[in-house]
Amino acid sequence: MMRTHYCGQVTETLEGQQVTVSGWVHRRRDHGGVIFIDLRDREGLVQVVVNPGNDAMFNIAERVRSEYVLKVQGKVCARTPETINPKMTTGKIEIVADDLEVLSAAEPIPFQLDDKHISEEVRLTYRYLDLRRDEMQEALRTRYRVTRSMRRYLDDNGFMDMETPILTKSTPEGARDYLVPSRTHPNKFFALPQSPQLFKQLLMMSGFDRYYQITRCFRDEDLRADRQPEFTQLDIETSFMTEEEVMDMMEGLTKTIFRDGVDVNFDYDFPRMTYAEAIEKYGIDRPDLRIPLQLVDVADLLQDIEFKVFAGPAKDPMGRVAALRVPQGGQLSRKEIDDYTKFVGIYGAKGLAYIKVNDLSAGLDGLQSPIVKFFPDQAMEIMERVGAEDGDIVFFGADKAKIVNEALGALRCKIGEDLDMIEREWAPVWVVDFPMFEMDEKTARMTAIHHPFTQPKATTEEILNHDAPHQMLSRAYDLVINGIEVGGGSVRIHDTHMQAAVLKMLGISDEEAEEKFGFLLNALKYGCPPHAGMAFGLDRLVMLMAKRDSIRDVIAFPKTQSAACMLTDAPGLVDNAQMADLELRFRKSLTEKQAD
Amino acid sequence: MMRTHYCGQVTETLEGQQVTVSGWVHRRRDHGGVIFIDLRDREGLVQVVVNPGNDAMFNIAERVRSEYVLKVQGKVCARTPETINPKMTTGKIEIVADDLEVLSAAEPIPFQLDDKHISEEVRLTYRYLDLRRDEMQEALRTRYRVTRSMRRYLDDNGFMDMETPILTKSTPEGARDYLVPSRTHPNKFFALPQSPQLFKQLLMMSGFDRYYQITRCFRDEDLRADRQPEFTQLDIETSFMTEEEVMDMMEGLTKTIFRDGVDVNFDYDFPRMTYAEAIEKYGIDRPDLRIPLQLVDVADLLQDIEFKVFAGPAKDPMGRVAALRVPQGGQLSRKEIDDYTKFVGIYGAKGLAYIKVNDLSAGLDGLQSPIVKFFPDQAMEIMERVGAEDGDIVFFGADKAKIVNEALGALRCKIGEDLDMIEREWAPVWVVDFPMFEMDEKTARMTAIHHPFTQPKATTEEILNHDAPHQMLSRAYDLVINGIEVGGGSVRIHDTHMQAAVLKMLGISDEEAEEKFGFLLNALKYGCPPHAGMAFGLDRLVMLMAKRDSIRDVIAFPKTQSAACMLTDAPGLVDNAQMADLELRFRKSLTEKQAD
């Protein structure tokens, strides 16, 4: 037997007992002819004392280095009062070794585990060492606590954990599918799923009523900061539940996992906000409500002024003129304002107008601004509308609505963080009443904002005859926490005619619809229950809960931003025999490519 | 709200109450001017009564057909005594409808759900209908109960559920890997894992101590009867545990899932048997111990007889001569014996010698056999050794050991079933002391029976200098139930030199070892704990527990035997743009292939 107790669990309750522990040498110190070893396992550290006397054992102890794996037998003894370490669970005792065995030697490791300045590349190459660090252990333990809590909640609420295929068919967003050739089907490919959407809908049509799965999804795309080619989703679907019921159930889930995962208790109902309100007040559909700043529309006041920079967007149906009041922002320096001007430039804003509110009782004279002269008659009304007080600054955005929303939306978060305005640790909000469709500017085609299986707030007739489809709302809902979309879902279409109408609206021909979704359109004919569901992005959710900066910190073996695995060196080259088996060849050989 | 109760849960305790239920029309009967609808949901059936009077409602009821989805509001009323159905949970009541709403209409379905003669092809094409059947609902519910029970047991024993990559690197058995090309890495491929073996070992090196995952694995191979290209594994790894401790823990797991999954209680320790004993007595390393028949070696008695058919194999070190006694098998007819002779022919046996035991007290005269004349001096000793009694038959196999083992091993199961000799419902057994290596007859290379990361029962020195490597045992263990291998595992190598020695033994060059396993050999240098683990084949295990004939019956959306999905028609063709994106082309075009 290699252990009777975990290192981190040997406490004063065991005083006087013989124990066996196994673990890694975290630190070795020689002091006054005695060797002290901090032995580490999953549960923590314990101090092992090796006294001279037993030469064989002492020689072993002298030989061990950091990260050696040892088995220690010994007696649990109280430490002397002056050597007690109150910070450690095991700090009142030490194990006086009777026997010591090296289970595995260790070469000097390539970096010190507690060195904070190791590049992520090195950490990922030696992931098995990186994962030994306390904070990585805790991050992955949090992930486990979260998934375990999810499962228990869903089990307790009558959901069944069910599996759906990983080798499946290319989907609507097929351009991002990973394709998988197969020896048994030359010239054909499986696709890895971007989500189990259609299969979970089919499970509802099969009568399983409540489904969940914590499952891997895949997307082969240019990798942005916090994306992984494979990611994990908590995927949920229910029958005979309305969106209200689903949101209530999922809110309960969210509260439960926060309690079990990170000891956070929400004792209030999550607020709900329409998409329109989110855009109006926060410029974004995933508002960070920890920050109290809000955008205020002022276009109506500025349509008739001469100052074209404001009047133009104010009159443009696609334009927006909005103000962002920053309480006590009057203290911002010229330099800071210039930096914010550059910052909004990232989002396409051509400038950043502002008014410093020095003394409201002095009227216009109390406003310090390069622009107030352009709308002297409206300035005080704007101040009143935004609720300005002495000492504030009010920023303005005027441009296409998209630019104003993105620029001021980002600015409010940046200023909120810079000026330490974050009022609370957690700010969850449900966003509802999303538009069903949006125009893809590149392709000039209508696309579904959630996905084409979401139910519009309209009848089939209305869908087919709608004259302003971009105004049509959907029965979708997103859960946003601290400005991060942690989950989203919708009521699905459960009628084959409505589904066909939506596909038509998306410019999908009948032939293409039949080819890609024929099985779904068919299945919808044989008695489909009303159904609704949701999916949570597990990686991002755990990152948020564990307060980590990257999803790579909550994934045991993540890919880099270029979608490679530093540890195993995947993806890799394959030999010609494997290619021949698949009846494939490369468009260009590797040497041709290198010559390019 | 679409329901207050599940259909199957409306019982007499609700008598007099208003309820709302939703579900599928299972059956509609018109009787005496009243319409009776059996409404079905996940939890069962309830009888809905629609009385005439409310014309609108009655008209709807007249219109509904099988598999329509309805919402029904009504009052729970006791049935009259003569209409009580004691077989149904809801058999004492009926719901008298006040309101009826069609949530979804249904076209006539392509087959009747209770029709037992529907081909599997049709069932898989309309899987969402097939899954509505009681027995499919129950099979998948059993699967869920099993996985839930596994998780609880492992959670309670300190195991952490952790995820490992699906997009990974091609492994030793690379020839069967599914490969995945990627836009971001032209000419390179990910591989889908055949198991998370190396990642779970790395997690042990990372200090996570106890890991589990219910995870998908992949194998692109010619599909045998009960194989799927993607299959699910309960994957487990532990640090600082011996094989005895792992087997005890896994035996506890197995007992727990049988109790929770199918209400079977094992109140005894699972027997353990060496590989050598299994082969000797049952001819196979996964013996079906429900059947009491055993093989008995008799070669030592027959080496010196003139009858070459027996003496040859008896003298051959690679040969075997074994007897299989079938109690009361003397009643088998000539025709039945001929059929068994054909049956063993499948396994390469050239014949099936036998002795019918008519009357032991009469000596040789009491034995009826075409062959007993060839070994008159040994026949009675053989009878004694196999424990023959009057009325028995004793079969013989004499050939290369492999053929005798396979032929008589299969024959004992076949006869056991034919003659109704199955003594108990469940017969679990641990098989241990497997050989570490075997010779692959095709390639004449040594291969690892479990996998190359299994620890041999030998030191590194012994491995490098072994003169009979096929005799070396490994620290592997398999769990076999009713002749099915439901799981297997081993103590792993935790020393880089031993790992290198085993790879060398397998004929893997240093370069290839470095290329394929460099990261593992490296990781083993930095303090690797002794570790051991196991994997259960979930599909097969649930099939066994649920007493189904095919793993396809316990998978929601299985592939056919030709590795295709009938429902979605995967794998499918992809367009040229997708191929170009991947910088791939086909070796032959589809038209060229068709012309072949």
Side-chain angles (χ1 to χ4, degrees):
Chain A
M1 185 184 277
M2 281 179 267
R3 77 170 145 226
T4 56
H5 296 80
Y6 279 100
C7 296
Q9 293 176 341
V10 179
T11 61
E12 57 276 18
T13 60
L14 297 171
E15 202 188 315
Q17 290 186 31
Q18 282 291 127
V19 295
T20 305
V21 292
S22 288
W24 285 260
V25 174
H26 194 65
R27 214 174 285 115
R28 195 195 85 189
R29 297 183 309 282
D30 301 22
H31 185 71
V34 175
I35 297 176
F36 295 89
I37 294 170
D38 284 348
L39 201 67
R40 185 189 73 233
D41 66 15
R42 185 177 82 179
E43 301 299 325
L45 294 173
V46 69
Q47 179 166 295
V48 173
V49 182
V50 185
N51 290 310
N54 178 335
D55 280 355
M57 183 173 76
F58 200 78
N59 288 344
I60 292 174
E62 281 192 307
R63 187 158 59 83
V64 305
R65 285 192 301 255
S66 282
E67 302 307 311
Y68 266 53
V69 180
L70 303 185
K71 173 181 161 186
V72 176
Q73 287 177 274
K75 190 173 171 182
V76 180
C77 298
R79 296 197 196 185
T80 55
E82 70 277 13
T83 59
I84 282 176
N85 182 344
K87 286 186 199 148
M88 289 173 70
T89 314
T90 62
K92 290 188 183 158
I93 57 86
E94 56 198 11
I95 298 174
V96 179
D98 298 329
D99 192 35
L100 205 63
E101 184 185 337
V102 175
L103 297 174
S104 280
E107 294 186 6
I109 58 174
F111 58 92
Q112 287 313 304
L113 295 187
D114 51 7
D115 186 339
K116 300 276 182 205
H117 303 288
I118 303 304
S119 73
E120 192 176 24
E121 189 174 325
V122 171
R123 288 176 45 201
L124 291 177
T125 304
Y126 297 95
R127 189 60 160 179
Y128 45 90
L129 298 178
D130 188 40
L131 289 174
R132 291 181 190 171
R133 293 189 301 126
D134 253 3
E135 60 174 10
M136 291 306 297
Q137 290 271 323
E138 182 51 28
L140 289 168
R141 216 188 281 226
T142 300
R143 186 180 178 112
Y144 167 57
R145 283 195 304 269
V146 168
T147 55
R148 185 179 55 185
S149 173
M150 284 173 168
R151 292 181 183 282
R152 300 261 161 134
Y153 179 89
L154 292 163
D155 290 343
D156 291 348
N157 281 286
F159 287 80
M160 275 174 72
D161 179 11
M162 301 185 77
E163 296 181 73
T164 55
I166 296 283
L167 292 174
T168 177
K169 197 183 180 181
S170 202
T171 53
E173 307 85 9
R176 295 156 159 193
D177 284 344
Y178 277 103
L179 298 179
V180 185
S182 162
R183 258 169 287 268
T184 30
H185 298 275
N187 288 27
K188 290 188 173 183
F189 287 80
F190 290 106
L192 303 181
Q194 294 185 37
S195 93
Q197 183 63 33
L198 295 183
F199 286 108
K200 69 177 175 173
Q201 292 190 234
L202 290 168
L203 287 175
M204 294 304 101
M205 299 177 212
S206 305
F208 286 101
D209 207 80
R210 294 186 181 186
Y211 144 95
Y212 80 93
Q213 187 182 198
I214 297 179
T215 187
R216 214 69 56 80
C217 302
F218 305 85
R219 216 174 283 150
D220 188 7
E221 63 185 345
D222 301 331
L223 295 166
R224 277 174 276 163
D226 253 350
R227 287 284 176 90
Q228 287 276 313
E230 54 180 311
F231 53 98
T232 303
Q233 193 162 293
L234 168 62
D235 197 49
I236 287 167
E237 198 74 12
T238 70
S239 295
F240 303 115
M241 285 176 83
T242 63
E243 53 264 67
E244 287 300 320
E245 290 170 313
V246 173
M247 280 190 279
D248 284 348
M249 182 74 84
M250 296 300 110
E251 187 168 321
L253 170 73
T254 306
K255 290 175 176 174
T256 303
I257 62 173
F258 267 83
R259 183 195 68 204
D260 297 344
V262 290
D263 206 16
V264 168
N265 290 286
F266 291 106
D267 56 359
Y268 55 86
D269 292 340
F270 293 175
R272 298 190 185 184
M273 185 182 289
T274 64
Y275 173 89
E277 184 185 354
I279 298 291
E280 186 196 327
K281 292 188 179 163
Y282 307 98
I284 195 166
D285 58 1
R286 39 172 211 282
D288 186 345
L289 299 187
R290 292 175 305 166
I291 298 161
L293 308 179
Q294 290 188 356
L295 278 57
V296 177
D297 271 317
V298 293
D300 56 311
L301 301 175
L302 300 170
Q303 286 172 343
D304 301 323
I305 64 172
E306 303 250 323
F307 185 49
K308 294 287 178 242
V309 174
F310 278 15
K315 281 186 288 201
D316 178 357
M318 302 289 284
R320 183 170 189 192
V321 185
L324 177 70
R325 170 189 166 236
V326 180
Q328 298 309 303
Q331 65 200 332
L332 289 172
S333 67
R334 183 66 244 169
K335 164 85 171 62
E336 286 170 319
I337 294 172
D338 283 351
D339 285 346
Y340 288 134
T341 308
K342 276 181 206 146
F343 177 78
V344 296
I346 299 169
Y347 301 91
K350 293 181 220 58
L352 182 62
Y354 66 89
I355 297 175
K356 282 190 177 180
V357 185
N358 291 337
D359 180 4
L360 277 177
S361 66
L364 284 183
D365 290 342
L367 303 182
Q368 175 192 341
S369 165
I371 56 158
V372 79
K373 61 186 176 212
F374 298 123
F375 45 89
D377 298 342
Q378 293 82 10
M380 296 312 291
E381 191 170 350
I382 291 173
M383 291 301 105
E384 198 182 330
R385 184 179 290 181
V386 301
E389 295 178 10
D390 292 352
D392 293 354
I393 191 168
V394 180
F395 289 106
F396 291 87
D399 209 317
K400 294 290 179 196
K402 189 168 182 300
I403 291 174
V404 172
N405 289 334
E406 289 184 6
L408 292 191
L411 183 65
R412 70 173 279 281
C413 292
K414 177 146 183 59
I415 292 180
E417 279 172 28
D418 289 351
L419 301 191
D420 229 357
M421 295 178 127
I422 292 181
E423 287 186 327
R424 45 203 178 116
E425 202 176 354
W426 302 104
V429 57
W430 285 102
V431 180
V432 298
D433 284 349
F434 281 82
M436 178 70 200
F437 302 106
E438 69 183 341
M439 187 66 82
D440 183 319
E441 289 172 7
K442 282 189 208 137
T443 62
R445 269 172 70 156
M446 216 48 123
T447 61
I449 286 192
H450 271 76
H451 54 57
F453 318 108
T454 300
Q455 198 176 118
K457 290 194 164 178
T459 64
T460 304
E461 281 301 296
E462 287 165 353
I463 296 165
L464 289 171
N465 302 307
H466 214 287
D467 51 4
H470 59 278
Q471 291 176 354
M472 197 185 299
L473 299 182
S474 74
R475 296 177 70 180
Y477 34 85
D478 274 4
L479 178 59
V480 175
I481 302 181
N482 296 3
I484 291 175
E485 183 205 322
V486 298
S490 63
V491 174
R492 324 300 184 184
I493 295 169
H494 66 274
D495 177 275
T496 194
H497 303 294
M498 182 182 284
Q499 186 63 71
V502 166
L503 293 176
K504 196 184 187 99
M505 177 72 83
L506 296 172
I508 294 171
S509 72
D510 289 355
E511 292 71 33
E512 195 184 348
E514 178 56 34
E515 154 70 17
K516 284 190 172 161
F517 306 113
F519 67 97
L520 174 70
L521 292 168
N522 213 22
L524 287 168
K525 292 175 188 163
Y526 297 117
C528 176
H531 59 293
M534 184 149 173
F536 290 83
L538 184 70
D539 307 307
R540 222 181 308 170
L541 178 59
V542 175
M543 175 188 78
L544 174 74
M545 295 172 72
K547 301 194 174 172
R548 305 299 304 231
D549 295 323
S550 161
I551 53 171
R552 293 186 294 279
D553 284 347
V554 297
I555 298 172
F557 300 105
K559 306 283 189 297
T560 60
Q561 264 177 262
S562 61
C565 173
M566 301 295 296
L567 173 63
T568 60
D569 197 25
L573 299 170
V574 297
D575 59 33
N576 287 332
Q578 280 174 297
M579 289 294 282
D581 263 3
L582 294 169
E583 309 212 6
L584 288 177
R585 56 185 172 181
F586 294 114
R587 207 157 273 262
K588 293 180 184 179
S589 73
L590 205 58
T591 35
E592 280 177 300
K593 292 183 69 70
Q594 283 162 345
D596 273 1
Chain B
M1 184 184 277
M2 282 179 265
R3 75 170 147 228
T4 56
H5 297 79
Y6 280 100
C7 296
Q9 294 175 339
V10 179
T11 61
E12 56 275 19
T13 60
L14 298 170
E15 201 188 314
Q17 290 186 32
Q18 282 292 126
V19 296
T20 305
V21 292
S22 288
W24 285 260
V25 173
H26 194 67
R27 213 173 287 115
R28 195 195 84 189
R29 297 183 310 281
D30 302 19
H31 185 71
V34 175
I35 297 176
F36 295 88
I37 294 170
D38 284 347
L39 202 66
R40 185 190 72 233
D41 65 17
R42 184 177 82 178
E43 301 299 326
L45 296 172
V46 69
Q47 178 165 293
V48 173
V49 183
V50 186
N51 290 310
N54 177 335
D55 280 355
M57 184 174 75
F58 200 80
N59 287 343
I60 290 174
E62 281 192 307
R63 188 158 58 81
V64 307
R65 285 191 302 255
S66 282
E67 301 307 311
Y68 266 54
V69 181
L70 302 185
K71 172 182 161 185
V72 176
Q73 289 177 275
K75 190 173 169 181
V76 180
C77 299
R79 297 197 195 185
T80 55
E82 68 278 15
T83 60
I84 282 177
N85 182 345
K87 285 186 200 150
M88 290 172 70
T89 313
T90 63
K92 289 187 181 157
I93 58 86
E94 56 198 10
I95 298 173
V96 180
D98 298 330
D99 192 35
L100 206 61
E101 185 185 336
V102 175
L103 296 175
S104 280
E107 294 185 7
I109 58 174
F111 58 92
Q112 288 313 305
L113 295 187
D114 51 7
D115 186 339
K116 301 275 183 206
H117 304 288
I118 303 303
S119 74
E120 191 175 25
E121 189 175 327
V122 171
R123 288 176 46 200
L124 291 176
T125 305
Y126 297 94
R127 188 62 159 178
Y128 45 89
L129 299 177
D130 187 41
L131 290 174
R132 291 181 190 171
R133 294 189 299 126
D134 254 2
E135 59 174 10
M136 290 307 297
Q137 291 271 324
E138 182 50 27
L140 289 167
R141 217 187 280 226
T142 300
R143 185 181 179 111
Y144 166 58
R145 283 196 305 268
V146 169
T147 57
R148 186 178 55 184
S149 173
M150 283 172 169
R151 291 180 183 283
R152 300 260 161 135
Y153 179 89
L154 292 165
D155 290 343
D156 292 347
N157 282 288
F159 287 81
M160 276 174 70
D161 179 12
M162 301 185 77
E163 295 181 74
T164 55
I166 297 283
L167 293 173
T168 178
K169 197 183 180 181
S170 201
T171 51
E173 305 85 10
R176 295 156 159 192
D177 284 344
Y178 276 103
L179 298 179
V180 185
S182 162
R183 259 169 286 269
T184 29
H185 299 274
N187 287 28
K188 290 187 173 183
F189 287 80
F190 289 107
L192 303 181
Q194 294 186 38
S195 95
Q197 182 62 34
L198 295 184
F199 287 106
K200 69 177 176 174
Q201 292 190 235
L202 290 167
L203 287 174
M204 294 303 100
M205 300 178 212
S206 305
F208 286 102
D209 207 80
R210 293 186 181 187
Y211 144 96
Y212 79 94
Q213 187 181 198
I214 297 179
T215 189
R216 214 68 59 79
C217 302
F218 305 85
R219 215 176 284 150
D220 188 7
E221 62 184 346
D222 301 331
L223 295 166
R224 276 173 277 161
D226 252 350
R227 287 283 176 90
Q228 288 277 313
E230 52 180 313
F231 55 97
T232 304
Q233 193 162 294
L234 167 62
D235 197 49
I236 287 168
E237 198 74 12
T238 69
S239 295
F240 303 115
M241 284 176 83
T242 61
E243 53 263 67
E244 286 301 318
E245 290 170 314
V246 173
M247 281 190 277
D248 283 348
M249 181 74 83
M250 297 300 110
E251 186 167 322
L253 170 73
T254 306
K255 289 174 176 174
T256 303
I257 63 174
F258 267 83
R259 182 196 68 204
D260 296 345
V262 290
D263 207 16
V264 169
N265 289 286
F266 290 106
D267 56 359
Y268 55 85
D269 292 341
F270 294 176
R272 299 191 184 182
M273 185 181 288
T274 64
Y275 173 89
E277 184 184 355
I279 298 292
E280 185 196 327
K281 293 187 179 162
Y282 307 99
I284 194 167
D285 58 1
R286 39 173 212 280
D288 186 344
L289 299 189
R290 292 175 305 166
I291 297 160
L293 307 180
Q294 292 186 356
L295 277 59
V296 176
D297 271 318
V298 293
D300 57 310
L301 302 175
L302 300 170
Q303 287 172 342
D304 301 323
I305 64 171
E306 304 249 326
F307 185 48
K308 295 284 177 248
V309 173
F310 278 16
K315 281 185 289 198
D316 179 356
M318 303 289 284
R320 183 171 189 191
V321 185
L324 177 71
R325 170 192 166 234
V326 180
Q328 298 309 304
Q331 65 199 331
L332 289 172
S333 69
R334 183 67 242 170
K335 164 87 172 60
E336 286 168 320
I337 293 172
D338 283 350
D339 286 347
Y340 288 135
T341 308
K342 277 181 207 145
F343 176 78
V344 296
I346 299 170
Y347 302 90
K350 292 180 216 64
L352 181 63
Y354 65 89
I355 298 175
K356 282 191 177 179
V357 185
N358 292 337
D359 179 4
L360 277 177
S361 67
L364 284 182
D365 290 342
L367 303 182
Q368 175 191 342
S369 164
I371 56 159
V372 79
K373 62 186 174 215
F374 298 122
F375 45 89
D377 298 340
Q378 295 80 10
M380 294 314 291
E381 189 170 351
I382 291 172
M383 291 302 104
E384 196 182 331
R385 185 179 290 182
V386 302
E389 295 177 9
D390 292 351
D392 295 352
I393 190 169
V394 180
F395 289 106
F396 292 86
D399 210 316
K400 293 288 178 197
K402 189 168 183 297
I403 290 174
V404 172
N405 289 334
E406 289 184 6
L408 291 192
L411 183 65
R412 71 172 279 281
C413 292
K414 177 144 184 61
I415 291 181
E417 279 171 29
D418 289 351
L419 301 192
D420 229 358
M421 294 178 129
I422 292 181
E423 287 185 328
R424 45 203 176 117
E425 201 174 355
W426 303 104
V429 58
W430 286 101
V431 180
V432 298
D433 284 348
F434 281 83
M436 177 70 200
F437 301 107
E438 69 184 341
M439 188 66 82
D440 183 319
E441 289 173 7
K442 283 189 207 135
T443 63
R445 270 172 69 155
M446 216 46 123
T447 60
I449 285 193
H450 271 75
H451 54 56
F453 317 109
T454 300
Q455 198 176 120
K457 291 194 165 176
T459 64
T460 303
E461 281 302 295
E462 287 165 352
I463 297 165
L464 289 170
N465 302 307
H466 213 287
D467 52 4
H470 60 276
Q471 290 176 356
M472 197 185 297
L473 299 183
S474 74
R475 296 177 68 181
Y477 34 84
D478 274 3
L479 178 59
V480 174
I481 302 180
N482 296 3
I484 291 176
E485 183 205 323
V486 298
S490 63
V491 174
R492 324 300 185 184
I493 295 169
H494 66 274
D495 176 275
T496 194
H497 303 295
M498 184 183 283
Q499 186 63 71
V502 166
L503 294 176
K504 195 184 187 101
M505 178 72 85
L506 296 171
I508 295 172
S509 71
D510 289 354
E511 293 70 35
E512 194 183 351
E514 179 56 34
E515 154 70 17
K516 284 191 172 161
F517 305 114
F519 66 99
L520 173 70
L521 292 169
N522 215 19
L524 287 169
K525 292 175 189 163
Y526 297 117
C528 175
H531 58 293
M534 185 151 170
F536 290 83
L538 184 70
D539 307 307
R540 221 180 311 170
L541 178 60
V542 174
M543 175 188 80
L544 173 74
M545 294 172 70
K547 301 192 174 175
R548 306 299 306 229
D549 294 325
S550 161
I551 54 171
R552 292 186 294 279
D553 284 348
V554 297
I555 298 172
F557 300 106
K559 306 283 190 295
T560 59
Q561 265 177 262
S562 61
C565 173
M566 301 295 296
L567 173 63
T568 61
D569 198 24
L573 298 170
V574 296
D575 58 33
N576 287 332
Q578 281 174 294
M579 288 294 280
D581 263 3
L582 295 169
E583 309 213 6
L584 287 176
R585 55 186 173 181
F586 294 114
R587 205 158 274 262
K588 293 182 185 179
S589 73
L590 205 58
T591 34
E592 279 177 300
K593 292 183 67 71
Q594 284 162 345
D596 273 1

